[in-house]
Amino acid sequence: MGPSAADRSGAPAADQREVHLVDDLDEDVDDERVAVLRRPDRLRAVLGGTRARVNAFLAEAAAVVRARFEGPVTYASVPLEAVDWTPFDLVSVDVYRSAETADGFAAGVRGMVAAAHGKPVAVTEFGAACYRDAGDRGALGLEVVVYDASGPVRLTGAYERDEEGQAAYVRELLAVFDASGVDTTFVFTFALHDHVHRPDGDPRRDLDLASYGLVKVYEDRKGTRYPDLPWEPKAAFDAVAEYHGAS
């Protein structure tokens, strides 16, 4: 869920509360939460009844949304949330393939679709960064970026650009999703505007290497293919266009 907020009375409104799967940690720190997500033994201990609390909140939130919106309702989840999809019209999950999940990835997607019991399934995030072997990291491709209070600063080392690898990853996952009966997919992402492409100078400052964007964003020039715009398509941009153009 997004940042939490309370109404003027100080009580959290039904559509303003934030529920964290790992909010029982001693420190309310993102790094600490991520560390727990990487430790299945700690994660099981922390989750406890949190999933039930999350599902109760989502059921209430879905009712609030339906009172104000007549279209289909869903929630972009991650697999470990184990969402009860009863209040929703679509099953929506962020799905990344990593080196650890590659062998069983296609079977896992088929199982996800089968478990939807006839509801349409949307993959609300998938993609890869564009340095060599970034696809093996799945959703953790941005871990090679050093951040400060102002945003991304530099990469942790020198990484080799591999736009074809990013394109292949996206193309392969699109094929798996189609073959498995996924209804809708959303590539993450069109552009990461603060992870700019700096082709000149220190390669550690070329933040686009870690970007999941289908285009590389410039801070000091226009692109070539679309000369009025400050970005240039990557190979993955064309891979997505060609895949959907042929399907």
Side-chain angles (χ1 to χ4, degrees):
M1 314 300 286
S4 59
D7 64 17
R8 294 182 183 274
S9 69
D15 55 352
Q16 293 178 314
R17 277 173 290 155
E18 181 178 11
V19 177
H20 289 293
L21 285 174
V22 287
D23 65 356
D24 294 323
L25 297 173
D26 292 336
E27 298 177 84
D28 185 18
V29 178
D30 286 342
D31 287 347
E32 177 71 3
R33 288 176 174 170
V34 171
V36 170
L37 294 176
R38 292 176 171 171
R39 288 279 304 278
D41 54 334
R42 290 191 65 194
L43 183 59
R44 283 191 294 271
V46 169
L47 282 177
T50 305
R51 282 174 170 160
R53 291 167 49 212
V54 169
N55 280 315
F57 169 77
L58 291 175
E60 187 177 352
V64 170
V65 172
R66 289 193 186 281
R68 296 161 170 78
F69 178 69
E70 296 181 356
V73 176
T74 191
Y75 165 71
S77 70
V78 295
L80 65 86
E81 289 178 280
V83 170
D84 175 4
W85 295 105
T86 303
F88 298 102
D89 301 298
L90 296 87
V91 173
S92 299
V93 188
D94 298 351
V95 181
Y96 289 85
R97 185 187 67 190
S98 66
E100 292 77 15
T101 63
D103 288 346
F105 183 78
V109 175
R110 291 194 298 271
M112 179 180 70
V113 173
H117 301 297
K119 288 188 176 182
V121 173
V123 171
T124 39
E125 270 191 30
F126 76 102
C130 66
Y131 56 88
R132 186 163 301 281
D133 298 326
D136 289 346
R137 294 176 179 257
L140 302 179
L142 286 165
E143 286 195 334
V144 302
V145 182
V146 176
Y147 297 87
D148 66 13
S150 65
V153 178
R154 59 176 173 79
L155 305 183
T156 57
Y159 294 88
E160 181 182 353
R161 179 169 290 274
D162 185 13
E163 292 188 18
E164 291 299 333
Q166 180 191 29
Y169 181 101
V170 170
R171 194 182 298 112
E172 290 163 10
L173 265 62
L174 282 170
V176 170
F177 297 148
D178 270 352
S180 302
V182 171
D183 182 81
T184 303
T185 57
F186 297 87
V187 181
F188 179 75
T189 184
F190 181 76
L192 281 181
H193 290 279
D194 57 352
H195 288 64
V196 295
H197 180 40
R198 295 170 176 147
D200 309 315
D202 186 346
R204 292 174 300 175
R205 297 190 69 249
D206 185 6
L207 297 170
D208 175 70
L209 285 164
S211 171
Y212 285 64
L214 299 181
V215 302
K216 45 197 171 192
V217 178
Y218 294 113
E219 60 185 348
D220 58 358
R221 68 193 77 179
K222 303 293 187 182
T224 300
R225 190 186 306 185
Y226 303 104
D228 293 332
L229 298 171
W231 49 259
E232 190 70 27
K234 300 181 195 175
F237 178 99
D238 294 319
V240 172
E242 290 165 6
Y243 185 91
H244 287 297
S247 60

